[in-house]
Amino acid sequence: MTPRLMSDDRRAVRRTEALGHAAERLGVDRRRFLLAGGGALAAAVLAACDSQGPRSAKSLLMLAERKNETLERALFRHGSIDVPPAGAKLAGARFPSYFVSHSVPVWDTAARGEWRLEVGGMVRTPIKLSLADLAALPRTGYRLDHYCVEGWNAVALRTGVRLADIARLVGVQPGARYVDFRSFDSDYHESWDIESAMHPQTLVVYAQDGHYLNAAWGAPARIYSPVKLGYKNTKYLTKILFLPARTGGYWSDRGYEWYGGV
Amino acid sequence: MTRHHPVVRITHWVNAVALTIMVGSGLRIFNAYPAFARKGESFCCYPFEHTPIPAKLTFGGWLAGARNWHFAMMWVLVVNGFVYLSFIYLHGEWRDLVPRRGIVRDSVEMIKFYLILRRDHPRQGKHNALQRTAYFVMPLAGIMAVVTGLAIWKPVELAPLTGLLGGYVWARYWHFWAMLILVALTLVHVFMVFTVDPYSIPSMITGGYRDDLSPEARNARPFVHLLPRHHDAAPDV
């Protein structure tokens, strides 16, 4: 053996050992990684399983909701209107019925007198409108999309009176920034920002698909606007109150976003 | 040698968490109406109308909880995606991630190799042709998810966008497809990491990677040559 070869061999051996140790080290690391990674993944999956996530996240989620509302209100335009696709069918009898009471809320004329829609709060001349009064006001009808928070949509022909027209009638005062829509469906109500309430497609609806509302769809009158998700559109309407502050709502108080804009 | 820049490593894991929560909460929202048809119509193109997703795969607990998570986490996803894409554009990493000449031929060779129709691992740079394709499509599907998501969040305020996608029903359908693409790519990615190149896991944490343990160096297919090739360590005499 020449010294040169000796040193080559030694170098080769050293190299082999170094690689071996590296592989061993790597092997251990990998096992640790797999173990730690698997554990973390399992914990994440367990934590995620049909839960609402960590409680501590709640304030962050509420912050995000407030920021989203700011953005949505900045995006909002009275000129942005809903136009359902030309080919879209009316949902007709397939239009879902929804209320929070145990049974379909029906206005009991015998017990409560004739139904009247009360428009009040920060207005110069509060009024009470019967269904005949409503029908006598300037009539507006649109074929409109209904966007439900659940993800479905449905098209219906909505006929009624623009809330903006009623607001002019009662003389809303400048300090009114919010509107609360109350109902006789238990304690159901939802409050809105006044900008959405004054949208040209926000209607006090008393007819759907050309017929007076039936009990399942919110008779005698309901609020409807395509700029708000379904749950914001109070049915079985009793009062429209113009207010200086927001007053929450049935679903808004139960975790759904207050703004609920479309 | 650092395989991934810290910006890439951080955005990778932020994305992993954000995407998981977005998919889980999105599926919970979908379960409130697990169908696409407008009321009173039928929908042509989804075979599982009204079949809910198993609750175990969902996140958020109930519709409002899932929506709150979805509409918060979307910002993490968007900001993180913006940081990642800006970084790889400015820093040059995009060169390893865009399709290059012969990507189809190279992809076919990779598939042949994985199907054992070819003996040796095709030569590659940082990523093989299939990885390049996947890592290129991933951000595109992410952008598709964001755009279609905006269209179904604001179908009235952003009506022109929703209209461009074919209306609310179709925008919702494309949003679902964006999710399917992201989930499929992620599942394949995770499978391949564990069965072909587990040595790349540290490279996405500490940045370190050993080229002599790359899949190309090991001639590795899924489950094949997972361990380092010891004869490589022997001296070439």
Side-chain angles (χ1 to χ4, degrees), chain B residues 163-186:
Chain B
L164 206 65
L165 294 163
Y168 177 78
V169 168
W170 285 99
R172 199 160 160 265
Y173 186 63
W174 301 134
H175 193 60
F176 193 81
W177 264 103
M179 177 276 297
L180 285 182
I181 294 168
L182 290 169
V183 168
L185 287 174
T186 304

Side-chain angles (χ1 to χ4, degrees), chain A residues 43-54:
Chain A
V45 168
L46 279 177
C49 274
D50 207 21
S51 80
Q52 294 186 45

Side-chain angles (χ1 to χ4, degrees), chain B residues 133-171:
Chain B
T133 309
Y135 302 156
F136 182 70
V137 171
M138 193 83 181
L140 292 183
I143 291 167
M144 176 178 165
V146 170
V147 171
T148 54
L150 286 172
I152 60 178
W153 185 35
K154 306 260 88 186
V156 177
E157 299 310 328
L158 302 177
L161 175 68
T162 313
L164 206 65
L165 294 163
Y168 177 78
V169 168
W170 285 99

Side-chain angles (χ1 to χ4, degrees), chain A residues 12 15-16 19 22-23 26 30 33-34 47-54 57 60-61 64-65 68 71-72 75-77 80-82 85 87-91 94-96 145 147-155 199 201 226-227 229 251 254-257 259 261-262, chain B residues 28-33 35-42 55-56 58-65 67-69 71-75 153-159 166-169 172 194 198-199 201-202 205-206 210 212-213 226-228 230 232-237:
Chain A
R15 211 173 64 176
T16 312
L19 276 175
L26 202 73
R30 203 177 89 226
F33 265 123
L34 291 179
C49 274
D50 207 21
S51 80
Q52 294 186 45
L60 275 177
L61 297 185
E65 191 191 323
N68 281 337
L71 174 70
E72 290 182 81
L75 268 178
F76 181 81
R77 298 277 179 283
S80 301
I81 58 160
D82 178 70
K89 274 191 215 156
L90 294 178
R94 306 286 287 279
F95 201 98
D145 281 297
Y147 300 98
C148 180
V149 67
E150 294 178 329
W152 54 263
N153 72 331
V155 178
H199 188 276
Q201 290 183 321
V227 304
L229 291 170
W251 286 116
R254 286 165 173 77
Y256 285 86
E257 56 280 29
Y259 188 72
V262 176
Chain B
R28 182 62 193 79
I29 294 168
F30 181 70
N31 270 0
Y33 182 61
F36 292 96
R38 186 180 284 118
K39 292 286 177 181
E41 295 183 4
S42 56
K56 288 279 174 220
T58 71
F59 177 75
W62 66 310
L63 177 57
R67 281 177 62 92
N68 292 340
W69 275 100
F71 290 123
M73 203 47 85
M74 66 182 186
W75 294 113
W153 185 35
K154 306 260 88 186
V156 177
E157 299 310 328
L158 302 177
Y168 177 78
V169 168
R172 199 160 160 265
F194 280 93
Y199 308 102
I201 296 172
I205 298 169
T206 62
R210 284 181 44 190
D212 57 326
L213 292 176
L226 257 181
L227 297 175
H230 289 288
D232 272 0
D236 299 323
V237 183

Side-chain angles (χ1 to χ4, degrees), chain A residues 86-172:
Chain A
K89 274 191 215 156
L90 294 178
R94 306 286 287 279
F95 201 98
S97 159
Y98 171 80
F99 42 83
V100 297
S101 303
H102 290 299
S103 56
V104 186
V106 177
W107 183 263
D108 186 352
T109 311
R112 309 169 87 168
E114 195 196 349
W115 174 87
R116 279 199 161 78
L117 175 62
E118 187 184 326
V119 185
M122 297 177 71
V123 300
R124 274 190 291 277
T125 44
I127 49 170
K128 289 185 173 181
L129 299 165
S130 67
L131 188 54
D133 294 337
L134 270 177
L137 287 171
R139 182 179 300 169
T140 307
Y142 291 112
R143 190 169 153 271
L144 293 174
D145 281 297
H146 178 109
Y147 300 98
C148 180
V149 67
E150 294 178 329
W152 54 263
N153 72 331
V155 178
L157 183 63
R158 311 278 196 177
T159 308
V161 184
R162 272 200 189 112
L163 185 56
D165 290 345
I166 295 177
R168 261 191 299 278
L169 206 65
V170 296
V172 174

Side-chain angles (χ1 to χ4, degrees), chain A residues 170-183:
Chain A
V170 296
V172 174
Q173 289 165 4
R177 302 309 305 150
Y178 298 90
V179 187
D180 196 17
F181 299 101
R182 303 211 178 149
S183 78

